[in-house]
Amino acid sequence: MSVRQPGLPELGADPSRTYRLGIMGGTFDPIHYGHLVTAEQAREALRLDLVLFMPAGQPAFKQGRGVTPAEDRYAMTLLATAANPAFDASRFEIDREGITYTVDTLRALRAHYPENVRLFFITGADAILDILSWRNAAEIARLATLIAATRPGYDINQACERVEGSGLPFDVRYIEIPALAVSSSYIRERVAEGKSVRYLTSESVMGYIKKNGLYRRDHQERVEGAEV
Ligand code: NAP
């Protein structure tokens, strides 16, 4: 029996087929073309029906760095994904209280969707490298196939050895994304220095950053990150 959750799209109506749902997890501070290309290529490679972009509420592992308010990160994610019918943006994590743990999200999605919906969690390979220290890693391994996006030249051996050596039943697919040469931190730095970020992210996101004064040195509305 499925447990209804607000903020999630409908999927799985036809019981005679399997649906493949990608969950694009990230802080998205801000979202950029590297994320969008990752989601599109993961959608194509893994034949995903839908990619749900899920900005983290209070991200785990972000102690010591201010994170832009969740509403701004969600608004930018919504703007960047609006034109692609296979993409959707979800408030699911930002509307939850407390620190965002991936296992909680995957559990809720598993309870929400019928069994014919298969879950794929997409994120950066650097994040996956740490997955064994995430809360309930063993359960994450059972709940979803992981898609780890790497930059060109990224050495996946370390991640493979760590994940395979864990003895947990992880199913990790690695995809190389040249556009991941762009990073959120690079965009934040450039904005802080008053430099252009055109062609690193969408015009709509660029406009939002400018209009709301995000990432400028004088912007004071950043909130502190939370403990893991
Ligand atoms: P991060 O440590 O900020 O990012 C690590 C690297 O991966 C960065 O280079 C980042 O580039 C890249 N990256 C992040 N999300 C990506 C995506 N969806 N596609 C491609 N590259 C991506 O990671 P994070 O954003 O905090 O966390 C990533 C996801 O893992 C989130 O959904 C988060 O909730 C989850 N997570 C869960 C736990 C836990 O359950 N304990 C702990 C940590 C993370 P950019 O900076 O350019 O994005």
Side-chain angles (χ1 to χ4, degrees):
M1 200 189 74
S2 63
V3 179
R4 308 296 307 155
Q5 299 276 354
L8 295 175
E10 292 299 317
L11 205 66
D14 178 356
S16 67
R17 59 161 289 209
T18 299
Y19 295 81
R20 297 161 74 90
L21 173 63
I23 301 117
M24 182 74 174
T27 306
F28 302 132
D29 191 12
I31 190 164
H32 52 68
Y33 281 139
H35 298 129
L36 295 165
V37 171
T38 298
E40 179 64 5
Q41 294 192 7
R43 184 193 64 73
E44 188 177 57
L46 278 300
R47 304 183 319 283
L48 305 176
D49 292 283
L50 182 72
V51 179
L52 192 56
F53 283 69
M54 195 160 298
Q58 276 185 48
F61 292 128
K62 287 283 187 240
Q63 197 180 14
R65 152 164 127 60
V67 174
T68 302
E71 288 296 344
D72 287 321
R73 292 183 288 108
Y74 172 73
M76 291 188 280
T77 303
L78 194 60
L79 287 169
T81 54
N84 188 333
F87 289 176
D88 211 339
S90 175
R91 298 187 57 88
F92 185 73
E93 286 192 348
I94 69 164
D95 285 343
R96 287 172 84 95
E97 302 246 315
I99 299 170
T100 302
Y101 292 110
T102 298
V103 70
D104 295 336
T105 300
L106 294 176
R107 263 188 211 144
L109 290 172
R110 189 63 283 157
H112 174 83
Y113 288 109
E115 280 306 309
N116 63 333
V117 177
R118 193 172 154 192
L119 305 179
F120 295 78
F121 186 74
I122 312 162
T123 197
D126 289 340
I128 296 287
L129 195 59
D130 293 325
I131 199 159
L132 297 176
S133 57
W134 292 12
R135 180 174 283 201
N136 293 355
E139 195 177 341
I140 294 175
R142 284 195 300 275
L143 287 166
T145 297
L146 303 177
I147 303 175
T150 68
R151 300 184 157 90
Y154 183 92
D155 178 11
I156 62 165
N157 289 332
Q158 207 190 345
C160 287
E161 277 169 24
R162 206 179 284 184
V163 169
E164 282 168 21
S166 72
L168 297 175
F170 282 110
D171 177 8
V172 188
R173 317 291 171 92
Y174 294 88
I175 49 172
E176 189 179 282
I177 308 291
L180 271 181
V182 181
S183 70
S184 298
S185 59
Y186 181 61
I187 292 181
R188 292 194 302 270
E189 276 163 32
R190 288 191 67 87
V191 175
E193 289 165 6
K195 292 179 176 164
S196 168
V197 294
R198 176 159 278 138
Y199 309 125
L200 300 176
T201 189
S202 69
E203 293 279 330
S204 55
V205 170
M206 242 173 56
Y208 188 96
I209 291 171
K210 190 162 185 204
K211 186 172 173 185
N212 293 283
L214 301 184
Y215 312 125
R216 286 175 17 186
R217 290 204 203 286
D218 56 357
H219 187 72
Q220 292 302 315
E221 281 186 27
R222 298 171 77 84
V223 294
E224 279 309 304
E227 292 180 48
V228 179

